[in-house]
Amino acid sequence: MALAEVFEAFAEPGAPVEFTAYDGSHAGTPGSPVKITVRSPVAAAYLAQAPGELGLARAYVAGHLDVEGDMYEALTRLTKVQATGLGMAEKLRLLQALGGPKLLVHRMPPPPQEVRQHRRWRGGRMHSKGRDAKAISHHYDVSNRFYEWVLGPSMAYTCACYPREDATLEEAQANKHDLVARKLGLTEGMRLLDVGCGWGGMVRHAAREYGVKALGVTLSAQQAAWAQAAIEREGLSRLAEVRHLDYRDVPETGFDAVSSIGLTEHIGQANLPSYFSFLLGKLKVGGRLLNHCITRPDNTEPAIRKGGFINRYVFPDGELEGPGHLVSLMHDTGFEVRHEENLREHYAKTLAAWCANLDAHWNEAVREVGQGTARVWRLYMAGSRLGFDRNHIELHQVLGVRLAADGTSGMPLRPEWELPRVLTG
């Protein structure tokens, strides 16, 4: 089998993809808008040593395999890459086609962007404060300028909520922040704690639009610096603050509301009961928590795939649970869950916008963070978009309230948060 044909085997039968390889072989559909080029024997070695998703990702990130055209379209056509693993018989056939067992003799070091389990910085107990700080820094302390190009002016690195099909990314992110604020029942004079606050979008929105005194915390030093500068630039210092701090070290209590937008994925399954208990303890009686996070579709899959691309390159130690598990834990730790919704399609649209932003700033992004890191992001965001489209992952918002001793919730008889508002920004 020619080398190009080996790589073609990962595509859907008849998929319009062109394959070429350094040995002069060709396969697939000539002239296709999606073209995959195998540039060196290193790509074959990566695939032989890690058959499937990880091997192909290593070859691409390291520059030994190129993808021309839209990355999302390429991934939709490489159906076998989406599988969780190849069978032993299939792996042996693949190894033989690539050149045989000799490719296994000398292990190829992975690209430097890969975080491996034995690396010194990942020492320590899973989800300890020190290890969490390093994992968060790996992903979020890439470059604020890089994130500005990818995320756009909102600097919101979480699922947007599109009020209509043709809404812009910025409109959808502002709508997301306002939906959270309305679900939390924010009014002037309240106090909000935003854990895992990113670049401070929710904190600034709550202060600017609702007159709320808002505190945000993040483990990323670069995020905190950017967010605090934005607060001062917008004249919100009287109401808003972002600290470089682990949420577990927040000393204040008695908040009227807590928002957690994109933090739960980093907590870890074993720590979720203490996480929800901690947030409950930060709230006044009648206070609300809005938990916004990526989930698995159900509880049948493992929370973490340690050998997968996402864990090795994007979110070290990240764990995803099923939505039912999260709802049950919130109840078990003292919250009464009042509302839940799945924004899966909204995240697919958000990622499509981020992918377009990266493509539009590709040359600047490569100069800023290097080709390897830029390629990680191109692959990761397109793959995540496909995951949301195909319901391999979901995005759930769950609203809970801390009840009074007599069971009083303070909630309206019917949800009021779907009423539109005119934003000042």
Side-chain angles (χ1 to χ4, degrees), residues 284-298:
K284 292 179 178 177
V285 169
R288 303 180 196 176
L289 165 68
L290 192 285
N291 198 77
H292 168 121
C293 72
I294 302 170
T295 74
R296 303 277 186 217
D298 52 46

Side-chain angles (χ1 to χ4, degrees), residues 1 10 21 53 77 106 215 269 311 332 347-348 364 411:
M1 183 184 290
F10 284 91
E53 173 195 83
R77 299 168 189 185
H106 300 291
L215 169 63
Q269 188 176 62
N311 185 60
D332 292 346
Y347 218 156
E364 301 101 311
M411 297 290 296

Side-chain angles (χ1 to χ4, degrees), residues 280-332:
L280 182 74
K282 291 296 176 184
L283 285 168
K284 292 179 178 177
V285 169
R288 303 180 196 176
L289 165 68
L290 192 285
N291 198 77
H292 168 121
C293 72
I294 302 170
T295 74
R296 303 277 186 217
D298 52 46
N299 298 315
T300 63
E301 299 182 47
I304 183 172
R305 296 191 180 100
K306 293 184 178 181
F309 171 74
I310 293 292
N311 185 60
R312 289 173 179 260
Y313 283 87
V314 185
F315 289 112
D317 295 343
E319 298 185 45
L320 303 181
E321 327 300 335
H325 182 66
L326 295 174
V327 169
S328 292
L329 280 177
M330 286 181 66
H331 272 291
D332 292 346

Side-chain angles (χ1 to χ4, degrees), residues 54-115:
L54 183 59
L56 290 171
R58 285 172 170 169
Y60 174 70
V61 171
H64 298 287
L65 182 149
D66 281 339
V67 179
E68 298 175 47
D70 186 85
M71 179 62 79
Y72 173 79
E73 290 300 322
L75 293 179
T76 62
R77 299 168 189 185
L78 296 175
T79 54
K80 289 189 179 179
V81 177
Q82 312 305 319
T84 56
L86 301 175
M88 183 55 66
E90 200 165 4
K91 288 181 179 179
L92 291 173
R93 284 195 298 271
L94 176 63
L95 177 62
Q96 196 61 41
L98 287 168
K102 64 185 180 184
L103 289 175
L104 303 180
V105 175
H106 300 291
R107 298 295 298 179
M108 292 297 304
Q113 291 77 19
E114 182 171 322
V115 175

